Amino acid sequence: MMSDKKYLFNGKDISINVYVQIRTVVNVIMERTQKTFMEAVEIFYDSETYKQLQHTENGFWAESPDYIADEFFRERMNDRCRNKEGNNMEKILYHGSSMIVSEPEIRKARYTKDFSWGFYCTERRKQAETWSIRHSEIGYLNIYEFRERSDLKIKHFSTTDSEWLDFIAKCRNGGIHEYDIVEGPMADDTIYNYVEDYLDDKITKDDFLQLAKFKHPTHQISFHTIKALSCLEFIKAEEVHDEDE
Protein backbone atom coordinates (compact mmCIF):
# COMPACT_ATOMS: atom_id res chain seq x y z
CA MET A 1 0.00 0.00 0.00
CA MET A 2 3.02 2.25 0.27
CA SER A 3 3.72 4.55 -2.66
CA ASP A 4 6.05 7.35 -3.61
CA LYS A 5 3.43 10.00 -2.92
CA LYS A 6 4.42 12.46 -0.21
CA TYR A 7 1.77 13.89 2.09
CA LEU A 8 2.35 17.27 3.73
CA PHE A 9 0.49 19.14 6.46
CA ASN A 10 1.56 22.66 7.41
CA GLY A 11 4.83 21.99 5.59
CA LYS A 12 5.57 18.82 7.58
CA ASP A 13 5.94 15.40 5.98
CA ILE A 14 3.16 13.21 7.40
CA SER A 15 3.37 10.45 4.78
CA ILE A 16 3.93 7.66 7.31
CA ASN A 17 0.95 8.84 9.37
CA VAL A 18 -1.32 8.80 6.33
CA TYR A 19 -0.11 5.40 5.12
CA VAL A 20 -0.65 3.89 8.57
CA GLN A 21 -4.10 5.47 8.73
CA ILE A 22 -5.08 4.06 5.33
CA ARG A 23 -3.92 0.57 6.30
CA THR A 24 -5.81 0.71 9.60
CA VAL A 25 -9.01 1.85 7.89
CA VAL A 26 -8.68 -1.01 5.41
CA ASN A 27 -8.37 -3.39 8.36
CA VAL A 28 -11.60 -1.99 9.83
CA ILE A 29 -13.35 -2.49 6.48
CA MET A 30 -12.08 -6.09 6.33
CA GLU A 31 -13.34 -6.75 9.85
CA ARG A 32 -16.82 -5.32 9.21
CA THR A 33 -17.36 -6.79 5.74
CA GLN A 34 -15.37 -10.06 5.90
CA LYS A 35 -13.72 -9.09 2.63
CA THR A 36 -10.16 -10.01 1.72
CA PHE A 37 -7.39 -7.46 2.00
CA MET A 38 -7.32 -6.73 -1.73
CA GLU A 39 -11.12 -6.50 -1.94
CA ALA A 40 -11.17 -4.00 0.94
CA VAL A 41 -8.38 -1.98 -0.65
CA GLU A 42 -10.22 -1.87 -3.97
CA ILE A 43 -13.53 -0.59 -2.61
CA PHE A 44 -11.85 1.91 -0.28
CA TYR A 45 -9.60 3.33 -3.00
CA ASP A 46 -12.67 3.79 -5.20
CA SER A 47 -14.51 5.89 -2.58
CA GLU A 48 -14.94 9.61 -2.07
CA THR A 49 -13.83 9.05 1.52
CA TYR A 50 -10.41 7.92 0.30
CA LYS A 51 -10.20 10.94 -2.00
CA GLN A 52 -10.98 13.20 0.93
CA LEU A 53 -8.18 11.52 2.87
CA GLN A 54 -5.74 12.60 0.14
CA HIS A 55 -6.40 16.28 0.83
CA THR A 56 -4.36 16.55 4.00
CA GLU A 57 -4.98 20.26 4.48
CA ASN A 58 -8.52 19.48 5.70
CA GLY A 59 -7.20 17.52 8.70
CA PHE A 60 -9.38 14.49 7.89
CA TRP A 61 -6.33 12.21 8.01
CA ALA A 62 -5.95 12.94 11.75
CA GLU A 63 -9.36 11.51 12.66
CA SER A 64 -9.65 8.04 14.18
CA PRO A 65 -9.74 5.01 11.84
CA ASP A 66 -13.27 4.19 13.06
CA TYR A 67 -14.42 7.72 12.23
CA ILE A 68 -13.00 7.47 8.70
CA ALA A 69 -14.45 3.98 8.26
CA ASP A 70 -17.87 5.25 9.38
CA GLU A 71 -17.63 7.95 6.71
CA PHE A 72 -16.83 5.27 4.14
CA PHE A 73 -19.78 3.06 5.13
CA ARG A 74 -22.11 6.06 5.28
CA GLU A 75 -21.06 6.93 1.73
CA ARG A 76 -21.70 3.34 0.61
CA MET A 77 -25.13 3.26 2.26
CA ASN A 78 -26.17 6.52 0.63
CA ASP A 79 -24.98 5.24 -2.74
CA ARG A 80 -27.09 2.10 -2.35
CA CYS A 81 -30.14 4.16 -1.41
CA ARG A 82 -29.72 6.38 -4.46
CA ASN A 83 -29.35 3.35 -6.72
CA LYS A 84 -32.42 1.72 -5.22
CA GLU A 85 -34.80 4.65 -5.34
CA GLY A 86 -33.23 6.98 -7.88
CA ASN A 87 -32.88 9.54 -5.09
CA ASN A 88 -31.61 9.86 -1.55
CA MET A 89 -34.87 9.34 0.33
CA GLU A 90 -34.00 6.19 2.28
CA LYS A 91 -31.19 5.47 4.73
CA ILE A 92 -30.20 3.45 7.77
CA LEU A 93 -30.03 5.27 11.10
CA TYR A 94 -28.75 4.25 14.53
CA HIS A 95 -29.79 5.17 18.06
CA GLY A 96 -27.65 4.19 21.02
CA SER A 97 -29.47 3.52 24.28
CA SER A 98 -29.38 1.48 27.47
CA MET A 99 -32.57 -0.21 26.25
CA ILE A 100 -34.21 -1.54 23.12
CA VAL A 101 -36.24 1.25 21.51
CA SER A 102 -38.62 -0.39 19.07
CA GLU A 103 -41.09 2.49 19.29
CA PRO A 104 -39.25 5.85 19.31
CA GLU A 105 -40.84 8.75 21.13
CA ILE A 106 -40.13 12.39 21.88
CA ARG A 107 -39.36 13.14 25.51
CA LYS A 108 -38.99 16.55 27.07
CA ALA A 109 -35.86 16.40 29.20
CA ARG A 110 -34.57 18.78 31.84
CA TYR A 111 -32.00 20.25 29.49
CA THR A 112 -32.56 21.06 25.84
CA LYS A 113 -30.28 19.52 23.22
CA ASP A 114 -28.62 20.96 20.12
CA PHE A 115 -31.78 20.91 18.02
CA SER A 116 -34.28 21.11 20.92
CA TRP A 117 -36.27 18.20 22.35
CA GLY A 118 -36.60 15.25 20.01
CA PHE A 119 -35.58 11.71 19.21
CA TYR A 120 -31.95 11.70 18.09
CA CYS A 121 -30.26 9.29 15.70
CA THR A 122 -27.09 9.21 13.62
CA GLU A 123 -25.81 7.70 10.40
CA ARG A 124 -22.63 6.67 12.21
CA ARG A 125 -22.77 3.21 13.72
CA LYS A 126 -19.67 3.63 15.91
CA GLN A 127 -20.99 6.90 17.32
CA ALA A 128 -24.29 5.26 18.33
CA GLU A 129 -22.45 2.32 19.89
CA THR A 130 -20.52 4.79 22.05
CA TRP A 131 -23.76 6.50 23.09
CA SER A 132 -25.27 3.18 24.14
CA ILE A 133 -22.67 2.46 26.84
CA ARG A 134 -22.17 5.95 28.25
CA HIS A 135 -23.83 5.04 31.53
CA SER A 136 -23.72 1.25 31.62
CA GLU A 137 -21.53 -1.70 30.67
CA ILE A 138 -24.17 -3.07 28.30
CA GLY A 139 -26.18 -1.03 25.83
CA TYR A 140 -28.20 -1.46 22.65
CA LEU A 141 -27.61 -0.29 19.12
CA ASN A 142 -31.10 0.33 17.75
CA ILE A 143 -31.25 0.22 13.96
CA TYR A 144 -33.94 1.88 11.86
CA GLU A 145 -34.79 2.41 8.24
CA PHE A 146 -35.63 6.04 7.58
CA ARG A 147 -37.82 6.84 4.59
CA GLU A 148 -38.24 10.56 4.07
CA ARG A 149 -41.69 11.99 3.31
CA SER A 150 -42.27 14.88 0.94
CA ASP A 151 -44.66 16.63 3.35
CA LEU A 152 -42.05 17.01 6.10
CA LYS A 153 -40.41 20.29 6.96
CA ILE A 154 -36.71 19.47 7.23
CA LYS A 155 -33.72 21.64 8.09
CA HIS A 156 -30.27 20.52 6.93
CA PHE A 157 -26.99 21.93 8.24
CA SER A 158 -23.96 20.84 6.23
CA THR A 159 -21.29 22.31 8.48
CA THR A 160 -20.62 24.06 11.79
CA ASP A 161 -21.16 27.51 10.34
CA SER A 162 -22.69 30.69 11.73
CA GLU A 163 -26.27 29.59 11.02
CA TRP A 164 -25.70 26.24 12.78
CA LEU A 165 -24.23 27.98 15.81
CA ASP A 166 -27.11 30.47 16.07
CA PHE A 167 -29.64 27.64 15.80
CA ILE A 168 -27.96 25.65 18.58
CA ALA A 169 -27.70 28.72 20.79
CA LYS A 170 -31.43 29.36 20.37
CA CYS A 171 -32.38 25.74 21.11
CA ARG A 172 -30.12 25.36 24.12
CA ASN A 173 -31.62 28.52 25.57
CA GLY A 174 -35.07 26.95 25.41
CA GLY A 175 -36.13 28.16 21.99
CA ILE A 176 -38.31 25.99 19.76
CA HIS A 177 -38.53 25.68 15.99
CA GLU A 178 -41.02 24.69 13.32
CA TYR A 179 -39.17 21.76 11.75
CA ASP A 180 -40.24 18.13 11.77
CA ILE A 181 -36.64 16.98 11.33
CA VAL A 182 -33.29 18.69 11.78
CA GLU A 183 -30.07 17.15 10.49
CA GLY A 184 -26.51 18.34 10.78
CA PRO A 185 -23.18 18.14 12.58
CA MET A 186 -22.98 17.12 16.20
CA ALA A 187 -20.19 18.74 18.15
CA ASP A 188 -17.48 16.46 19.49
CA ASP A 189 -16.01 17.22 22.92
CA THR A 190 -13.71 19.91 21.56
CA ILE A 191 -16.34 21.72 19.48
CA TYR A 192 -18.84 21.30 22.32
CA ASN A 193 -16.47 23.24 24.57
CA TYR A 194 -16.22 25.97 21.94
CA VAL A 195 -20.02 26.15 21.79
CA GLU A 196 -20.22 26.45 25.58
CA ASP A 197 -17.60 29.20 25.55
CA TYR A 198 -19.62 31.05 22.92
CA LEU A 199 -22.86 30.70 24.89
CA ASP A 200 -21.04 31.96 28.00
CA ASP A 201 -19.70 34.96 26.03
CA LYS A 202 -16.12 33.81 26.54
CA ILE A 203 -15.42 33.86 22.82
CA THR A 204 -16.99 35.66 19.87
CA LYS A 205 -18.77 34.02 16.95
CA ASP A 206 -15.75 34.75 14.75
CA ASP A 207 -13.51 33.07 17.34
CA PHE A 208 -15.73 29.98 17.29
CA LEU A 209 -15.79 29.73 13.51
CA GLN A 210 -12.01 29.97 13.36
CA LEU A 211 -11.48 27.39 16.12
CA ALA A 212 -13.95 24.92 14.58
CA LYS A 213 -12.61 25.36 11.06
CA PHE A 214 -10.42 22.24 10.96
CA LYS A 215 -12.52 20.04 13.23
CA HIS A 216 -14.62 17.21 11.85
CA PRO A 217 -17.85 16.94 13.85
CA THR A 218 -19.97 13.84 13.95
CA HIS A 219 -23.56 13.50 12.69
CA GLN A 220 -27.01 13.77 14.22
CA ILE A 221 -30.57 13.81 12.95
CA SER A 222 -33.43 14.67 15.28
CA PHE A 223 -37.14 13.93 14.96
CA HIS A 224 -39.49 16.47 16.53
CA THR A 225 -43.03 15.50 15.54
CA ILE A 226 -45.17 12.37 15.45
CA LYS A 227 -45.27 12.71 11.68
CA ALA A 228 -41.48 12.65 11.57
CA LEU A 229 -41.27 9.58 13.82
CA SER A 230 -43.62 7.73 11.47
CA CYS A 231 -40.78 7.74 8.93
CA LEU A 232 -38.70 5.43 11.13
CA GLU A 233 -39.12 1.67 10.87
CA PHE A 234 -37.43 -0.36 13.59
CA ILE A 235 -35.28 -3.14 12.12
CA LYS A 236 -33.49 -4.67 15.09
CA ALA A 237 -31.38 -3.98 18.17
CA GLU A 238 -27.87 -5.29 18.77
CA GLU A 239 -26.30 -5.65 22.19
CA VAL A 240 -23.18 -3.55 22.79
CA HIS A 241 -20.60 -4.26 25.49
CA ASP A 242 -18.15 -1.83 27.05
CA GLU A 243 -14.82 -3.46 26.21
CA ASP A 244 -13.00 -1.27 28.73
CA GLU A 245 -14.88 -2.78 31.64
Side-chain angles (χ1 to χ4, degrees), residues 112 114 164-165 168-169 172-173 187-203 208:
T112 55
D114 286 355
W164 174 87
L165 182 60
I168 284 183
R172 289 200 182 176
N173 284 325
D188 62 11
D189 289 342
T190 301
I191 298 179
Y192 179 84
N193 290 335
Y194 297 158
V195 172
E196 290 297 302
D197 287 343
Y198 171 71
L199 295 177
D200 292 337
D201 292 324
K202 294 180 180 178
I203 61 174
F208 170 85

Side-chain angles (χ1 to χ4, degrees), residues 2-101:
M2 297 287 285
S3 72
D4 295 330
K5 182 173 181 177
K6 180 178 289 188
Y7 295 96
L8 300 176
F9 183 72
N10 290 339
K12 182 180 179 181
D13 187 347
I14 58 166
S15 300
I16 295 298
N17 305 72
V18 176
Y19 292 138
V20 169
Q21 190 74 294
I22 292 172
R23 176 56 192 263
T24 308
V25 172
V26 168
N27 287 342
V28 174
I29 294 172
M30 290 171 59
E31 180 181 343
R32 295 192 193 179
T33 64
Q34 304 303 307
K35 291 185 179 295
T36 66
F37 174 75
M38 290 309 301
E39 288 172 337
V41 168
E42 183 177 353
I43 60 174
F44 183 50
Y45 277 26
D46 193 42
S47 69
E48 290 299 320
T49 304
Y50 176 75
K51 293 176 183 177
Q52 185 181 356
L53 197 59
Q54 305 299 295
H55 301 293
T56 54
E57 69 277 1
N58 62 21
F60 186 56
W61 62 273
E63 297 291 345
S64 72
D66 279 319
Y67 180 98
I68 297 171
D70 278 346
E71 279 292 290
F72 167 76
F73 284 109
R74 185 163 69 96
E75 175 191 336
R76 296 257 294 177
M77 178 60 68
N78 289 340
D79 285 345
R80 284 197 292 271
C81 291
R82 280 191 289 269
N83 291 336
K84 181 178 179 181
E85 298 289 339
N87 53 43
N88 198 20
M89 298 285 282
E90 179 185 322
K91 63 178 70 174
I92 298 298
L93 297 178
Y94 305 97
H95 174 80
S97 176
S98 59
M99 63 185 70
I100 296 174
V101 186

Side-chain angles (χ1 to χ4, degrees), residues 134-150:
R134 284 177 300 173
H135 306 300
S136 61
E137 296 180 16
I138 299 176
Y140 293 92
L141 178 72
N142 295 279
I143 306 173
Y144 309 90
E145 181 180 274
F146 167 53
R147 186 178 294 274
E148 190 175 307
R149 287 170 41 172
S150 60

Side-chain angles (χ1 to χ4, degrees), residues 115 157 159-168 185 187 191 195 208:
F115 301 149
F157 293 100
T159 186
T160 52
D161 58 11
S162 177
E163 183 186 13
W164 174 87
L165 182 60
D166 288 341
F167 192 86
I168 284 183
I191 298 179
V195 172
F208 170 85

